[in-house]
Amino acid sequence: MSAALKYQGTRLLAASSRLSILQKAAKPSLLRGYHATSARLSVAHSGSQTVANAEKYTLNTYARPTLVLSHGKGSYLYDTDGKEYLDFTAGIAVVALGHNHPDITAAVVDQASKLVHCSNLYHNEWAPQLARNIVESTIAAYPQGTQGIYAQAADGRSPARVFFSNSGTEANEGALKFARKYGKHVAELGTLGKGTSEALRGDPNLKCGIVSFTGGFHGRSMGALSVTANPKYQKPFTPLIPGVQTAKYNSTSEIGAFVDERTCGVIVEPIQGEGGIHPAQVDFLRALRRRCDQVGALLIYDEIQCGLGRSGKLWAHQLYPEDCSPDILTMAKPLANGIPIGAILVSDKVAELIKVGEHGTTFGGNPLACRVGCTVLDHIAKPEFLEHVQNAGQVLEQELQQALAPFVGSTVVELRGTGLLRGIQFASDPIQIVDLARDRGLMLVGAGGNTVRLVPPLNTSIADIKRGAAIIADCVKQFAAERKA
C-alpha cells in the first residue's frame, strides 16, 4: 500500500474517532451538518500544493521546510506523506500535554458545542474559574512566598489577580502598561526622597522608565519589541517606544545604574528561552527585587516559555528563594495547549490601581480557551506531573552529557537548562543539526547564540526522551565529522 493511501486511511479513521467524540459530547441536533462533512473528508491538497498556496497567499515572515504537517498524537507529529516525527519542539514550548490529548479534545468539543465567545461584556463560567485556579495553584506551589504576588492582601482579598489576553506578547504589553500606571502612582505619593519626590510630583510622567536585559525575548508587538534587545527584530521597526534601557543579563553590578527613581518597571525572564536557554543567577534576581523595592518599581517576570511546569516547578521563579518573587507574572504558551491564550498575574498592590476601562480585550478570557486552560492546569499543577518533568529532564541531561562528552570543547560549547527546557550551544551555526535531526524523524528548534533548544511535551515518556537524545547524538557525530572533512 502506498504512503498516500495509508495516510488517507489514517485520516478517515481520525474522522471517525472525532465523530465518536462529538456523538458523546455534543447534542444530537448539533451533529446533522457533521455527517455530510465527514462523508466528504479527503486529503485537501498535496504537500506541494499547500506550500505553493502558502508562498502565493501568505505574508513571507517565516523560513520553513517544505514538509506539511497533518496531525499529531502524544509526542509525535505526522506529515502529509505519512512520515512520523518525534516532537522536541512542542510548537515552541506550547503543547505541554502533547498532541491530541484526549482530555483537551473532549474539553474543546464539549465547550465548542456550548459557548465559544461572548466578549467581556458578560461573565462566562470558565474565566473566573481559571483565574482562581492560577492564583491558588501558584500560592500552593510556593508556600514560603511572602513578597510580590505572594504578599498577603488586606481585608481577606486575594493576594493576586488575573487579566486574560490572547497571547504572550499581549500579556507583556499589559504588564508594561500596568507598570506605567504604577509609576505614576508612586510619583504622586512622593515617597522617594525630597529632591526626587518633588521632581516626580511635578510631572508623574517622568517615572516611566522600563529596564530589560540582553538576550531577552518578550514579543513582537511594539511595546514588547521595545524591551526585546535584539537588533534583528528591532531595527526594521525603529523608532521604538521611548524610556527603555537595556542592561546586561546576570550582571548585578549594573543594576544600580540602570534601575533608578525614574524606573517604573523591570522585565526579565528567570530562564531565557529564545536567547539561548540561560538561567538567571540567584544574586541577580535577588538584587533586582531589592532595587525595585528601593526605587518604587515593579518587577515583572516573563514566564511565557519557562513557566507552567517547563522547569520542573510550576513557575521557574519558584526554583529561587522567596526574596526573588515578582510583582507581575506573564504567561501564555502552554496554558491552553495550543488554543490561543495569555494571562497577567498581578500582585494586590497593582490590582488595586487598575480601574474599569483602563485595559481590555475582545477575545481574552473567552470560555473555550479558559475551559481548556483549566484542563491543562489540572494536569500540570499536580506534584506527580512536575516530578515526571524533573525526572525526564535529568534523564535528558544525563543522556546528552554522556553522548556528547567527546564533542564538548570543540563542536559543542555547553549544555544548559533545567527540567525540559534545555539548550545545546554549538561552536558554529547549528542549523544543519536541526535539518539532520528532521531527516531522522526528530523535530528541533533553534535559539540565540548558536543554540539548539530542546522543549518536548512535558509528558513525553522516558523512552522517547532517550530516543530523542540518541538521534541528537547521531546528528552531532555527523555534523562534527563533516566539519573536520
Side-chain angles (χ1 to χ4, degrees), residues 368-393:
L368 177 64
C370 290
R371 168 80 180 271
V372 177
C374 286
T375 302
V376 171
L377 197 57
D378 283 347
H379 282 271
I380 289 177
K382 287 184 170 69
E384 56 270 27
F385 186 94
L386 295 171
E387 184 179 353
H388 170 76
V389 176
Q390 294 166 18
N391 292 338

Side-chain angles (χ1 to χ4, degrees), residues 24 251 279 364 381 435 459:
K24 292 177 182 178
S251 176
D435 294 340
N459 56 357

Side-chain angles (χ1 to χ4, degrees), residues 249-379:
Y249 188 71
N250 273 332
S251 176
T252 304
S253 62
E254 291 190 4
I255 291 174
F258 281 88
V259 183
D260 59 25
E261 286 80 3
R262 296 195 178 195
T263 303
C264 67
V266 174
I267 186 167
V268 64
E269 296 165 272
I271 305 174
Q272 291 185 338
E274 176 77 17
I277 318 301
H278 296 282
Q281 297 169 2
V282 173
D283 288 347
F284 175 65
L285 294 185
R286 181 177 282 140
L288 283 179
R289 173 72 277 169
R290 186 184 307 116
R291 185 60 175 164
C292 284
D293 290 339
Q294 290 171 349
V295 301
L298 294 180
L299 180 57
I300 304 165
Y301 282 172
D302 176 344
E303 294 217 27
I304 289 162
Q305 185 161 166
C306 64
L308 286 165
R310 179 61 57 183
S311 69
K313 295 289 188 180
L314 183 60
W315 301 107
H317 75 264
Q318 293 176 342
L319 293 165
Y320 295 84
E322 62 89 17
D323 57 351
C324 299
S325 300
D327 299 301
I328 297 180
L329 178 68
T330 59
M331 66 196 79
K333 286 180 177 289
L335 184 54
N337 213 62
I339 302 296
I341 190 172
I344 314 166
L345 181 65
V346 302
S347 64
D348 178 67
K349 72 178 183 181
V350 179
E352 286 299 292
L353 292 177
I354 306 303
K355 307 304 180 184
V356 172
E358 290 186 339
H359 198 47
T361 172
T362 296
F363 296 106
N366 70 76
L368 177 64
C370 290
R371 168 80 180 271
V372 177
C374 286
T375 302
V376 171
L377 197 57
D378 283 347
H379 282 271

Side-chain angles (χ1 to χ4, degrees), residues 6-313:
K6 285 182 181 178
Y7 171 68
Q8 280 190 311
T10 301
R11 286 291 296 271
L12 290 173
L13 284 171
S16 176
S17 175
R18 289 194 295 272
L19 179 56
S20 176
I21 292 170
L22 277 168
Q23 288 170 332
K24 292 177 182 178
K27 296 178 181 178
S29 62
L30 297 172
L31 298 175
R32 286 194 288 268
Y34 188 81
H35 292 288
T37 303
S38 62
R40 296 195 300 271
L41 275 176
S42 62
V43 180
H45 299 288
S46 67
S48 59
Q49 182 61 55
T50 298
V51 173
N53 286 342
E55 291 177 348
K56 185 174 182 179
Y57 297 110
T58 64
L59 198 61
N60 182 30
T61 57
Y62 302 103
R64 291 181 278 216
T66 56
L67 65 90
V68 177
L69 297 174
S70 64
H71 62 290
K73 181 66 176 175
S75 298
Y76 287 85
L77 288 166
Y78 301 86
D79 67 19
T80 51
D81 293 324
K83 184 174 179 178
E84 179 183 82
Y85 304 87
L86 177 57
D87 185 9
F88 267 34
T89 71
I92 314 182
V94 169
V95 287
L97 301 185
H99 304 280
N100 194 18
H101 191 285
D103 292 350
I104 300 298
T105 302
V108 169
V109 170
D110 185 56
Q111 191 59 40
S113 73
K114 295 175 179 176
L115 183 66
V116 172
H117 176 76
C118 61
S119 87
N120 285 296
L121 293 172
Y122 314 99
H123 292 293
N124 69 72
E125 294 178 279
W126 291 102
Q129 185 61 55
L130 179 55
R132 177 180 179 175
N133 292 355
I134 290 170
V135 171
E136 293 186 349
S137 62
T138 297
I139 294 170
Y142 199 67
Q144 66 269 41
T146 59
Q147 299 186 39
I149 57 175
Y150 302 97
Q152 290 298 311
D155 304 324
R157 294 194 305 266
S158 169
R161 299 185 215 175
V162 176
F163 178 90
F164 289 112
S165 64
N166 308 291
S167 65
T169 193
E170 289 174 66
N172 284 335
E173 291 283 350
L176 297 176
K177 282 181 66 176
F178 297 164
R180 285 277 174 89
K181 175 77 185 290
Y182 184 80
K184 289 186 178 185
H185 168 72
V186 172
E188 289 164 354
L189 286 179
T191 58
L192 294 177
K194 186 176 180 181
T196 300
S197 292
E198 289 176 356
L200 294 179
R201 241 193 228 160
D203 185 1
N205 287 327
L206 292 174
K207 191 168 176 61
C208 66
I210 297 167
V211 176
S212 61
F213 296 92
T214 55
F217 181 87
H218 303 289
R220 309 261 193 169
S221 53
M222 211 61 185
L225 179 64
S226 298
V227 294
T228 296
N230 187 327
K232 179 177 73 172
Y233 299 137
Q234 290 185 335
K235 188 175 180 180
F237 306 105
T238 54
L240 304 173
I241 68 169
V244 176
Q245 295 188 87
T246 303
K248 186 177 179 181
Y249 188 71
N250 273 332
S251 176
T252 304
S253 62
E254 291 190 4
I255 291 174
F258 281 88
V259 183
D260 59 25
E261 286 80 3
R262 296 195 178 195
T263 303
C264 67
V266 174
I267 186 167
V268 64
E269 296 165 272
I271 305 174
Q272 291 185 338
E274 176 77 17
I277 318 301
H278 296 282
Q281 297 169 2
V282 173
D283 288 347
F284 175 65
L285 294 185
R286 181 177 282 140
L288 283 179
R289 173 72 277 169
R290 186 184 307 116
R291 185 60 175 164
C292 284
D293 290 339
Q294 290 171 349
V295 301
L298 294 180
L299 180 57
I300 304 165
Y301 282 172
D302 176 344
E303 294 217 27
I304 289 162
Q305 185 161 166
C306 64
L308 286 165
R310 179 61 57 183
S311 69
K313 295 289 188 180

Side-chain angles (χ1 to χ4, degrees), residues 331-458:
M331 66 196 79
K333 286 180 177 289
L335 184 54
N337 213 62
I339 302 296
I341 190 172
I344 314 166
L345 181 65
V346 302
S347 64
D348 178 67
K349 72 178 183 181
V350 179
E352 286 299 292
L353 292 177
I354 306 303
K355 307 304 180 184
V356 172
E358 290 186 339
H359 198 47
T361 172
T362 296
F363 296 106
N366 70 76
L368 177 64
C370 290
R371 168 80 180 271
V372 177
C374 286
T375 302
V376 171
L377 197 57
D378 283 347
H379 282 271
I380 289 177
K382 287 184 170 69
E384 56 270 27
F385 186 94
L386 295 171
E387 184 179 353
H388 170 76
V389 176
Q390 294 166 18
N391 292 338
Q394 290 170 1
V395 170
L396 181 56
E397 181 179 29
Q398 291 164 2
E399 294 287 313
L400 290 173
Q401 283 181 340
Q402 182 176 352
L404 301 183
F407 306 102
V408 174
S410 55
T411 303
V412 175
V413 175
E414 187 180 25
L415 282 69
R416 293 188 294 269
T418 187
L420 288 176
L421 179 56
R422 301 279 172 173
I424 307 171
Q425 183 179 352
F426 290 86
S428 59
D429 186 351
I431 186 62
Q432 188 183 350
I433 298 285
V434 176
D435 294 340
L436 290 171
R438 187 172 59 249
D439 291 342
R440 289 164 168 79
L442 175 68
M443 293 294 199
L444 299 175
V445 60
N450 291 335
T451 301
V452 169
R453 195 174 354 173
L454 313 178
V455 283
L458 300 183

